[in-house]
Amino acid sequence: MTEKIVLVNEDGIRTDGRKLSELRPIKLEVGILSNADGSAYIEQGKNKILAAVYGPREVHPRHMALPDRALLRCRYHMAPFSVEERKSPAPSRREVELSKVIREAFEPAIFLEKFPRTSIDLFIEVLQADGGTRCAGVTVASLALADAGIPMKDLIVACAAGKAGGHLVLDLNDIEDKEGEADIPVAYMPSFNAVSLLQMDGLLTIEEFQQAINLALEGCKQIYALQKEALKAKYQAIKESTEVTEEE
Amino acid sequence: MTSVMVSRIRRQQIAQLIADGKRLDGRGLKDYRSIQIESGIIGKAEGSARVRLGKTEVMVGVKIDVGEPFSDRPNEGVLTTNAEFVPLASPEFEAGPPGEESMELARVVDRGIRESKAIELEKLCIIPGKKVFVIFVDVYVLNHDGNLIDASTLASIVALMNTKIFKYEIKDGEIEKKPGFSPLPLRDIPISVTLASINGILVVDPWLDEEEVMDARLTIAFSKDGRICAIQKGGSGTLSPQQIIEAANIAKEKSEEIREIVVKS
């Protein structure tokens, strides 16, 4: 077997130079695809993920339509070139499961009852994966939904915490996810203090788990602020462009 | 989408009873249903079990094959978990390719076994990088009355506990079977406990009607030493952080009770 990788050094610094409770650099952009009703892009560390929303629109196939609310459909998908070894483009069992839990993370936030007999289709495409793609995917999908003008109770924001190299860490990267002791992705509605996605793999005592959840929620709150900024930035840009035309 | 219709009045009844600390089937909020375990019931399978959780019934068969290891784990055996929602188990199940619910079930069962490192996979290597034992755990749902995750995890671990591997020797790089069997090397017994949140109140081991009414469910699996080894939240509602910690504490206590039943069986 290969040598054990040092995930956290004596100074509490991680493989990518971060402190234990530090997020990776995050870049968010809103409204970047012209065909979609709403779209957004995220870079979180080396993760590069696109999200797009179509809808509310007519449901196909029609028999899937719900009489009292919109049908939310979600597809989380990884590009074949997004990982080290080529991934088959056919949806894997992992992708099917993640699509389900991400959909369930958004259902409590969207006012689906406002759009009966329609569908809202949410697509998340991972272009490059570096650990924590489901969380970054949720964060960016939330912006795409807001960009599409879909009414929501709150933005959903997601972040993982876990244990790597014997320490509790925030926002695990790929190596920490694979070689670390535990990973807990959490999706959260900050205004309601409500968790809408929660998974864990690895081994943690209940005390460690409790601390890790709190760490993840702190991370969520930081990203939540970035989400709001990104949304405002889009409209600020539109405002500035109109101001310029008026001057002319 | 796979919902047995529960009438609105029954929904109200279930929720109101729970608010009073009672349940429609007579259990207390933290009571598990009765567990019946049978093991070694399919002679053709290397390991098998049937678990009844109240009226929920799940069978698991373990088959063993020789195959190639994963490239990143050349010295370890391979665990493959699959779940079938057999159409005879519920009016809502249909024959056909696996849906997202059965994939989720298989992956959550797999997560509990894998993350607790229950199977000593490193002992299942035959020729490093070339040949290893592949353990197929096939979950067969026979009657769906709620909480399939716990019933399936339980049946899987019991089936693995009575799984036998054929003895072999290597001659000129080929595997030759020898008479006799040895037990599958296990180091842990992961137990999962599922709770449902109904109007913000947690109930243990939801049955089907409660699953229809619940806001969300939370499954927490524990290894022998009391550490959490897998978690899965399901359902389109939310949980508060306080509820999650409360659920973890209840689940830990329940997992110890259930592990005792498993060890005795």
Side-chain angles (χ1 to χ4, degrees), chain B residues 34-92:
Chain B
S34 73
I35 300 171
Q36 281 178 294
I37 298 173
E38 296 165 79
S39 61
I41 45 173
I42 303 291
K44 295 266 180 183
E46 278 83 357
S48 60
R50 171 161 45 201
V51 164
R52 290 192 182 88
L53 198 55
K55 286 185 201 150
T56 288
E57 191 172 332
V58 174
M59 189 181 277
V60 167
V62 178
K63 293 297 292 177
I64 291 184
D65 211 341
V66 174
E68 275 184 36
F70 288 118
S71 55
D72 57 339
R73 310 251 176 210
N75 301 313
E76 288 184 11
V78 172
L79 167 68
T80 304
T81 311
N82 186 55
E84 289 284 331
F85 283 13
V86 191
L88 59 72
S90 162
E92 299 295 318

Side-chain angles (χ1 to χ4, degrees), chain B residues 32-38 49-60 105 108-109 137-159 190-194 205-206 211 219 258 262:
Chain B
Y32 220 83
R33 285 174 289 182
S34 73
I35 300 171
Q36 281 178 294
I37 298 173
E38 296 165 79
R50 171 161 45 201
V51 164
R52 290 192 182 88
L53 198 55
K55 286 185 201 150
T56 288
E57 191 172 332
V58 174
M59 189 181 277
V60 167
L105 175 63
V108 176
V109 171
V137 174
D138 278 289
V139 174
Y140 232 56
V141 177
L142 299 182
N143 201 55
H144 178 19
D145 196 38
N147 200 0
L148 292 177
I149 296 179
D150 289 1
S152 303
T153 305
L154 202 52
S156 300
I157 198 67
V158 173
I191 301 287
S192 77
V193 175
T194 297
D205 179 27
E211 286 188 347
T219 302
I258 297 168
V262 171

Side-chain angles (χ1 to χ4, degrees), chain B residues 195-258:
Chain B
L195 295 97
S197 169
I198 298 175
N199 286 353
I201 300 171
L202 293 170
V203 298
V204 173
D205 179 27
W207 61 295
L208 192 58
D209 281 13
E210 287 172 340
E211 286 188 347
E212 291 300 318
V213 181
M214 70 184 178
D215 312 313
R217 66 166 154 74
L218 191 62
T219 302
I220 309 176
F222 289 85
S223 61
K224 219 162 42 178
D225 62 4
R227 285 192 289 175
I228 303 173
C229 59
I231 293 181
Q232 180 85 340
K233 178 250 169 191
S236 41
T238 60
L239 297 160
S240 70
Q242 294 76 10
Q243 267 189 309
I244 293 166
I245 302 303
E246 188 192 340
N249 285 313
I250 298 171
K252 187 178 179 201
E253 197 185 307
K254 287 286 152 192
S255 73
E256 281 157 14
E257 290 172 20
I258 297 168

Side-chain angles (χ1 to χ4, degrees), chain A residues 13-81:
Chain A
I13 300 297
R14 294 151 71 178
T15 50
D16 51 9
R18 279 185 292 158
K19 297 188 198 109
L20 298 177
S21 53
E22 190 179 339
L23 291 168
R24 287 174 283 185
I26 295 174
K27 187 181 125 189
L28 290 164
E29 274 179 76
V30 177
I32 45 150
L33 298 174
S34 62
N35 277 344
D37 295 313
S39 61
Y41 174 69
I42 187 171
E43 285 184 14
Q44 184 165 358
K46 287 183 215 138
N47 285 318
K48 293 177 196 283
I49 304 169
L50 264 176
V53 171
Y54 284 85
R57 62 177 177 182
E58 200 171 338
V59 187
H60 290 288
R62 205 171 277 179
H63 67 85
M64 286 182 78
L66 302 170
D68 59 341
R69 61 185 192 276
L71 173 71
L72 177 65
R73 288 186 288 205
C74 171
R75 185 177 111 126
Y76 162 98
H77 186 251
M78 292 175 90
F81 47 78

Side-chain angles (χ1 to χ4, degrees), chain A residues 61-107:
Chain A
R62 205 171 277 179
H63 67 85
M64 286 182 78
L66 302 170
D68 59 341
R69 61 185 192 276
L71 173 71
L72 177 65
R73 288 186 288 205
C74 171
R75 185 177 111 126
Y76 162 98
H77 186 251
M78 292 175 90
F81 47 78
S82 63
V83 280
E84 210 68 50
E85 258 178 64
R86 179 179 183 269
K87 193 210 142 282
S88 155
S92 65
R93 284 150 54 110
R94 174 179 172 276
E95 287 168 303
V96 172
E97 186 212 336
L98 294 193
S99 298
K100 178 179 187 286
V101 295
I102 292 171
R103 188 190 73 230
E104 289 171 340
F106 279 104
E107 276 170 343

